[in-house]
Amino acid sequence: MQKKWWHGKVAYQIYPKSFCDTNGDGIGDLRGIIKKLDYLKDLGVDIIWISPFYCSPLADQGYDISDYYNIDPRFGTMADMDELLAEAKKRDLSIVLDLVVNHCSDEHEWFQKMLADPDGPYGKYFYIEECKDGKLPCNWRSYFGGPVWERIPGTDKYYLHVFHKKQPDLNWENPQVRQDIYKMINWWLDKGVAGFRIDAIINIKKALPFKDYPADRPDGLCSVHYMLKEAQGVLTFLHEMADHTFRPHNAFTVGEVFNEKPEELPDFIGDNGCFSTMFDFNGAIFGGSPNGWYDRTPITPDDYKRCCFESQRKIEGVGFLANIIENHDEPRGVSRYIPQGDCTETSKKMLAAVLFMLKGLPFLFQGQELGMENLDFTSIDEVDDVSTLDEYQVARNAGLSPEEALKAVNVYSRDNARTPFQWSAEKNAGFTEGTPWLRVNPNYVRINAEEQMGRPDSVYHFYKKLIALRKNPRYADTIVYGRLEPVWEDVHNLMAFYRRGEGQTLLVAANFQNEPRDITLDAPCRELILSNYENTEIHGNTIRLQGYQAAILRI
Ligand code: TEU
Ligand code: CA
């Protein structure tokens, strides 16, 4: 595997709407990001991925773009963006944007031109079909519920949208569409962004012609996944895109790739892959049910361990994954991967240690460094996210009571991660002077950056230590490149692995339970590098792990 400049780095995702509001409208903005660059630099991150802030009706919080070349006024101006790039550069921080090109917004100029003349050139920018014998072109269900087809007003024609109906899919089969997209990507790269996180990219290749698959719910529709399994040739598009954009700019890219076929992995992220890296979603997708969120199987620590090790095995010798415990589409990692009732600062730190010691590029999601938790929504009216609203309805249709449905979707709601950043114990957690667009988690009085920065044993400081450890020249090479080798894999509630580097072996052991346990090594422990406990009992080759203790050792 070729070494790359970003392998030893740490990345951080900003969800701008919820990060920091500087003008009191209750919506985070680019100036808020500029204001907090020192906070991020001080934490130790290097790469900052910012979720979309382009012009957008915000039907899907900016993942519905109406102008790729401009900033939505709610987030700021192009002058703010230029300043952000300049300020980031001063601090040696790389800015990575969100590339959303499976679809645009129905308010984008291309779609508006299509509406004016569906048979004209812009009709070919989208997937436009007519009904056959009064039947939609196919029975796929949109990710946000309902059929993927929406009627074009005043016609018998329909356009395709695999996400919200305000997110029409772009027709990648049309070379003109691809050229327009590449031009836009190069425009941003020339402006100085380091690269992109690439949204929902697997969906750009459709299995054509459109056809039905067996229905998987009483609505008579089927998940888009059946089609994606059959679709061939996504990599041809992706390599073409890389050749025209990322490769000549030496850009950093991280793909949001679900459902890749194992044999395609090298093509995605191998030495000549179309992307630098892609997210490991193995833990995030665990327990999914075709019926919907209400029917999901919660993940246990043993499942989590298996998910991580499975990904590590499949990637060995191929490339470098991007590791996460949460993002803007997922519940908070600490609320998901730590068994209910056991979520404390200690267990949060343990989870952090595991994440950082896996092989790959760690991505933090804003607030993760504070151990921010899920929000207990008290009513569905508090929910903003389109996906959660749909899943609530799915649960209701399956016969769950309003209370049960709320409880079921609460655990997986994307809004859990989207609540405003908890900066301080002041009003609205210091996020805004105005009324926040989404409810602030009331636990901000307890969990906030100001308090944690002033307390050396906080979750925040533990993350800071982990980041520093990854960059400490004594261990960096092993942490970044060392082979990962699971150990005691079948032991219940224990997740442990070696990282084997050149002449150095580290052991990471995490005790996912309240009961202490002893682990006995076949070699003496040379050094305790980091732990989430102040004191660690080591007797010869035996180490006592306390409840939810993580220990990083050199052996
Ligand atoms: O997500 C794509 C995706 O396939 C899912 O994670 C999806 O959001 C989830 O199943 C719905 O609950 C990306 C973005 O990360 C997400 O925020 C956008 O909504 C989506 O694309 C559409 O752009
Ligand atoms: Ca604002």
Side-chain angles (χ1 to χ4, degrees):
M1 194 178 69
Q2 281 166 22
K3 295 196 173 178
K4 301 280 166 60
W5 67 268
W6 52 270
H7 282 162
K9 304 293 187 195
V10 174
Y12 187 98
Q13 179 189 357
I14 291 181
Y15 194 69
K17 200 173 182 188
S18 304
F19 191 57
C20 176
D21 174 26
T22 55
N23 64 351
D25 65 356
I27 294 177
D29 40 55
L30 294 182
R31 299 222 66 83
I33 301 177
I34 297 171
K35 190 171 149 194
K36 298 297 182 184
L37 284 178
D38 285 329
Y39 168 84
L40 297 170
K41 183 70 192 172
D42 185 55
L43 180 60
V45 305
D46 312 283
I47 300 172
I48 301 172
W49 152 32
I50 312 175
S51 279
F53 46 74
Y54 315 93
C55 294
S56 164
L58 304 189
D60 185 22
Q61 298 308 355
Y63 284 92
D64 47 321
I65 298 171
S66 55
D67 183 354
Y68 290 96
Y69 292 92
N70 275 302
I71 312 296
D72 193 281
R74 283 165 286 195
F75 293 120
T77 63
M78 196 52 85
D80 295 335
M81 183 63 206
D82 291 335
E83 193 178 322
L84 171 60
L85 286 171
E87 290 300 318
K89 196 169 175 190
K90 271 190 209 160
R91 294 166 177 81
D92 202 19
L93 295 167
S94 306
I95 300 289
V96 166
L97 303 193
D98 218 307
L99 183 62
V100 188
V101 288
N102 172 68
H103 44 268
C104 59
S105 160
D106 64 344
E107 298 181 29
H108 192 284
E109 187 190 347
W110 297 333
F111 194 82
Q112 292 300 314
K113 286 184 172 161
M114 180 285 287
L115 286 182
D117 179 13
D119 297 317
Y122 285 93
K124 307 256 177 318
Y125 270 55
F126 301 92
Y127 292 98
I128 312 285
E129 295 283 321
E130 282 174 13
C131 283
K132 289 170 244 143
D133 316 319
K135 231 178 115 270
L136 291 175
C138 67
N139 70 338
W140 311 346
R141 181 188 309 107
S142 121
Y143 289 106
F144 298 147
V148 293
W149 297 100
E150 184 72 16
R151 192 191 200 108
I152 302 173
T155 72
D156 296 331
K157 298 178 197 298
Y158 289 74
Y159 69 88
L160 177 84
H161 61 92
V162 302
F163 290 94
H164 195 268
K165 66 176 181 204
K166 284 184 72 64
Q167 294 169 300
D169 281 53
L170 287 163
N171 182 359
W172 274 71
E173 304 294 338
N174 178 352
Q176 189 57 49
V177 169
R178 303 204 298 274
Q179 288 312 317
D180 285 352
I181 290 172
Y182 305 158
K183 193 177 127 201
M184 177 273 290
I185 295 173
N186 286 326
W187 186 83
W188 279 107
L189 288 171
D190 291 338
K191 221 173 172 10
V193 308
F196 296 93
R197 172 269 187 183
I198 302 167
D199 186 70
I201 197 65
I202 211 83
N203 295 283
I204 63 172
K205 186 75 195 186
K206 275 75 178 170
L208 296 173
F210 295 109
K211 64 164 193 193
D212 287 357
Y213 294 85
D216 59 3
R217 285 188 198 169
D219 60 7
L221 304 176
C222 75
S223 157
V224 176
H225 292 122
Y226 302 103
M227 176 281 287
L228 292 177
K229 247 187 218 150
E230 279 187 11
Q232 294 292 330
V234 69
L235 281 153
T236 311
F237 286 157
L238 296 181
H239 281 297
E240 184 190 272
M241 170 160 66
D243 282 340
H244 283 83
T245 60
F246 313 140
R247 285 184 181 125
H249 282 90
N250 196 20
F252 167 82
T253 50
V254 49
E256 191 200 22
V257 181
F258 289 97
N259 312 92
E260 97 284 356
K261 303 168 178 88
E263 67 277 10
E264 291 176 345
L265 206 51
D267 240 322
F268 274 107
I269 59 166
D271 280 343
N272 301 308
C274 52
F275 298 146
S276 311
T277 179
M278 61 194 231
F279 290 109
D280 178 13
F281 290 122
N282 224 15
I285 60 175
F286 178 89
S289 159
N291 296 333
W293 289 355
Y294 75 89
D295 194 37
R296 286 190 71 145
T297 309
I299 191 163
T300 66
D302 289 342
D303 298 324
Y304 179 67
K305 163 173 68 181
R306 276 189 284 270
C307 286
C308 293
F309 289 167
E310 190 180 85
S311 299
Q312 295 280 331
R313 285 192 170 107
K314 95 180 167 190
I315 206 70
E316 183 62 42
V318 177
F320 221 72
L321 282 175
N323 296 322
I324 56 162
I325 59 166
E326 62 199 48
N327 64 27
H328 67 293
D329 290 334
E330 301 295 334
R332 288 289 178 175
V334 294
S335 302
R336 179 183 224 161
Y337 298 116
I338 297 167
Q340 238 196 338
D342 290 353
C343 191
T344 62
E345 287 215 322
T346 303
S347 56
K348 289 172 181 180
K349 292 176 193 165
M350 181 200 69
L351 195 62
V354 169
L355 173 73
F356 267 75
M357 293 306 290
L358 288 172
K359 191 169 182 171
L361 176 68
F363 267 76
L364 285 136
F365 176 70
Q366 62 182 42
Q368 179 183 331
E369 73 276 26
L370 310 176
M372 276 180 64
E373 298 171 4
N374 279 359
L375 175 66
D376 260 322
F377 294 98
T378 53
S379 148
I380 192 68
D381 300 333
E382 283 175 356
V383 173
D384 169 275
D385 167 37
V386 282
S387 185
T388 312
L389 295 173
D390 168 58
E391 294 285 352
Y392 176 79
Q393 211 41 58
V394 169
R396 291 283 288 124
N397 295 347
L400 276 74
S401 71
E403 297 72 35
E404 289 165 339
L406 183 65
K407 219 172 138 213
V409 297
N410 200 139
V411 208
Y412 297 106
S413 175
R414 306 198 296 177
D415 278 351
N416 282 310
R418 298 178 181 186
T419 63
F421 191 100
Q422 294 165 205
W423 292 107
S424 71
E426 275 154 51
K427 190 176 148 228
N428 299 323
F431 161 71
T432 179
E433 300 275 322
T435 308
W437 74 277
L438 188 67
R439 205 179 136 205
V440 177
N441 194 320
N443 67 15
Y444 75 91
V445 285
R446 195 164 44 83
I447 302 174
N448 64 70
E450 194 177 64
E451 189 277 332
Q452 293 203 20
M453 288 171 81
R455 179 166 55 83
D457 69 347
S458 64
V459 175
Y460 167 86
H461 278 287
F462 194 73
Y463 266 103
K464 223 176 144 171
K465 282 183 201 156
L466 284 167
I467 295 172
L469 177 62
R470 188 176 170 80
K471 297 176 182 180
N472 181 334
R474 281 187 62 179
Y475 316 104
D477 203 62
T478 307
I479 296 175
V480 177
Y481 294 110
R483 195 159 43 82
L484 184 141
E485 194 183 300
V487 58
W488 305 304
E489 217 174 329
D490 295 326
V491 177
H492 178 53
N493 286 347
L494 175 67
M495 179 164 174
F497 49 90
Y498 295 116
R499 297 296 311 277
R500 298 205 189 269
E502 309 261 345
Q504 188 177 65
T505 295
L506 306 182
L507 173 71
V508 182
N511 184 26
F512 275 78
Q513 61 182 23
N514 283 309
E515 299 70 35
R517 77 165 81 229
D518 288 340
I519 52 171
T520 302
L521 311 175
D522 44 21
C525 166
R526 293 175 195 267
E527 183 191 358
L528 173 71
I529 300 173
L530 187 64
S531 170
N532 56 344
Y533 271 74
E534 210 167 321
N535 298 303
T536 303
E537 290 172 45
I538 304 180
H539 302 286
N541 292 6
T542 299
I543 298 146
R544 162 141 300 197
L545 293 177
Q546 301 297 334
Y548 289 99
Q549 180 167 12
I552 303 170
L553 310 154
R554 188 164 60 84
I555 60 164

